[in-house]
């Protein structure tokens, strides 16, 4: 079932989204060579609590952490472990919070020190794909319009969209309907309505689109070990456009 959020709920989502973006801003600055992934996790816990919100990933379907910290060929859903970042890594930091009973979700890939040119291009294309997708968000457009915009843009840069993981509705739960694939055909799929809240989250690989789901039940990596990037925002569908709630 696709839900429509009410005005007061949207205001709470705006507040929660603001908190989440401040948390990610802070973690992004912290992601320097030598920093341990477990330190990012601890910092996230402290900040989320200090701002009166709760982490939403920990315990969700048994996920063990507040953050997903996916490094280099890791795509998504990597729980922070005892590992130090090193110069040249790229790290995707994904976090969700619950604030006043409503959920927001956002991710960004950030550089650790100086990174390679292909890594920089991968991050730039993935971030831009998310923005291009947001231009498709308005009442009456479809989920397929979003996916097609992402797929076309990414493939025009000779990079690959991950197809076995998708975006989603959000707000009352971590994951709601509809699914928001990062591929599709214009005019196909669920129709967007004002008041819907969705997460658009392109995952893009330098090599092939195939990913491997590790035995721990969470970790997703690229099959060919190529670098992967991930950007995600929680977005409100409006009559004439989109509002980013996690900006
Ligand atoms: N943004 C990711 C997603 O929507 C993070 C989910 S982690 C989980 O899939 F633990 F909540 F599953
Ligand atoms: Co998500």
């Amino acid at each position: 079932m696709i839900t429509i959020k009410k005005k007061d709920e949207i205001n709470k989502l705006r507040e929660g989204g603001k908190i989440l973006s401040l948390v990610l801003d802070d973690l992004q600055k912290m992601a320097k060579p030598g920093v341990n992934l477990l330190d990012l996790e601890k910092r996230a816990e402290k900040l989320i609590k200090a701002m009166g919100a709760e982490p939403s990933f920990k315990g969700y379907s048994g996920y063990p952490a507040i953050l997903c910290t996916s490094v280099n060929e890791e795509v998504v859903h990597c729980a922070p472990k005892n590992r130090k970042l090193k110069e040249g890594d790229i790290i995707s930091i994904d976090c969700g919070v619950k604030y006043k009973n409503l959920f927001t979700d956002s991710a960004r890939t950030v550089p650790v020190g100086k990174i390679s040119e292909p890594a920089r291009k991968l991050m730039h294309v993935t971030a831009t794909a998310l923005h291009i997708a947001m231009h498709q968000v308005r009442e009456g457009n479809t989920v397929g319009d979003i996916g097609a915009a992402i797929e076309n843009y990414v493939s025009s840069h000779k990079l690959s969209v991950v197809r076995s993981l998708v975006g989603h509705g959000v707000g009352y739960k971590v994951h709601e309907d509809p699914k928001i694939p990062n591929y599709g055909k214009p005019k196909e799929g669920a129709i967007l309505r004002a008041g819907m809240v969705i997460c658009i989250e392109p995952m893009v690989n330098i090599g092939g689109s195939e990913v491997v789901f590790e035995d721990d039940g969470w970790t997703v990596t690229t099959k060919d070990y190529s670098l992967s990037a991930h950007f995600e925002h929680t977005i409100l569908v409006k009559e004439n456009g989109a509002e980013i709630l996690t900006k």
Side-chain angles (χ1 to χ4, degrees):
M1 190 189 61
I2 300 177
T3 62
I4 299 292
K5 274 72 184 180
K6 300 188 194 75
K7 225 179 176 161
D8 62 313
E9 294 168 334
I10 289 166
N11 280 327
K12 291 173 187 170
L13 284 162
R14 278 193 189 104
E15 294 173 53
K18 182 77 204 168
I19 290 170
L20 179 52
S21 70
L22 291 171
V23 169
L24 288 174
D25 286 349
D26 187 277
L27 297 174
Q28 172 166 3
K29 286 195 200 109
M30 216 181 131
K32 296 267 160 59
V35 169
N36 197 301
L37 299 182
L38 297 175
D39 296 334
L40 295 174
E41 173 81 4
K42 278 190 213 121
R43 179 76 181 157
E45 177 169 30
K46 193 174 151 198
L47 288 172
I48 293 167
K49 288 199 176 139
M51 290 191 270
E54 281 171 59
S56 63
F57 292 173
K58 197 167 183 167
Y60 176 80
S61 300
Y63 186 72
I66 292 170
L67 297 178
C68 305
T69 51
S70 309
V71 179
N72 297 337
E73 76 283 358
E74 295 175 341
V75 180
V76 287
H77 299 170
C78 296
K81 53 177 181 265
N82 183 11
R83 169 179 182 170
K84 280 185 180 158
L85 292 171
K86 49 180 195 355
E87 180 95 21
D89 284 343
I90 59 172
I91 176 173
S92 304
I93 306 173
D94 191 348
C95 188
V97 300
K98 181 181 177 187
Y99 182 72
K100 297 185 175 171
N101 250 354
L102 292 153
F103 294 83
T104 50
D105 182 355
S106 183
R108 47 179 96 153
T109 303
V110 303
V112 180
K114 197 171 154 25
I115 60 170
S116 70
E117 182 51 30
R120 196 203 56 77
K121 180 190 161 195
L122 170 70
M123 289 172 47
H124 179 73
V125 169
T126 312
T128 306
L130 173 54
H131 280 271
I132 285 173
M134 289 188 297
H135 289 302
Q136 294 299 323
V137 174
R138 73 184 79 98
E139 167 111 16
N141 269 14
T142 69
V143 163
D145 292 329
I146 293 172
I150 293 171
E151 188 180 18
N152 289 337
Y153 176 74
V154 170
S155 61
S156 77
H157 286 276
K158 307 264 183 292
L159 300 172
S160 307
V161 158
V162 173
R163 301 176 75 90
S164 46
L165 294 150
V166 298
H168 50 90
V170 70
Y172 303 128
K173 297 191 288 181
V174 175
H175 291 143
E176 295 180 18
D177 291 336
K179 287 189 167 54
I180 316 279
N182 299 302
Y183 54 88
K185 295 210 174 82
K187 297 191 167 56
E188 290 191 358
I191 298 169
L192 302 175
R193 299 289 175 211
M196 282 171 58
V197 178
I198 57 174
C199 286
I200 305 180
E201 48 179 318
M203 289 148 270
V204 176
N205 304 341
I206 287 189
S209 62
E210 293 83 6
V211 297
V212 173
F213 294 81
E214 306 286 346
D215 289 339
D216 63 10
W218 287 104
T219 304
V220 183
T221 57
T222 56
K223 191 170 179 194
D224 57 12
Y225 298 102
S226 68
L227 294 179
S228 188
H230 177 214
F231 285 81
E232 174 177 24
H233 274 306
T234 298
I235 294 156
L236 169 66
V237 181
K238 296 186 163 195
E239 230 171 276
N240 296 310
E243 179 182 330
I244 306 175
L245 298 174
T246 46
K247 202 167 181 164

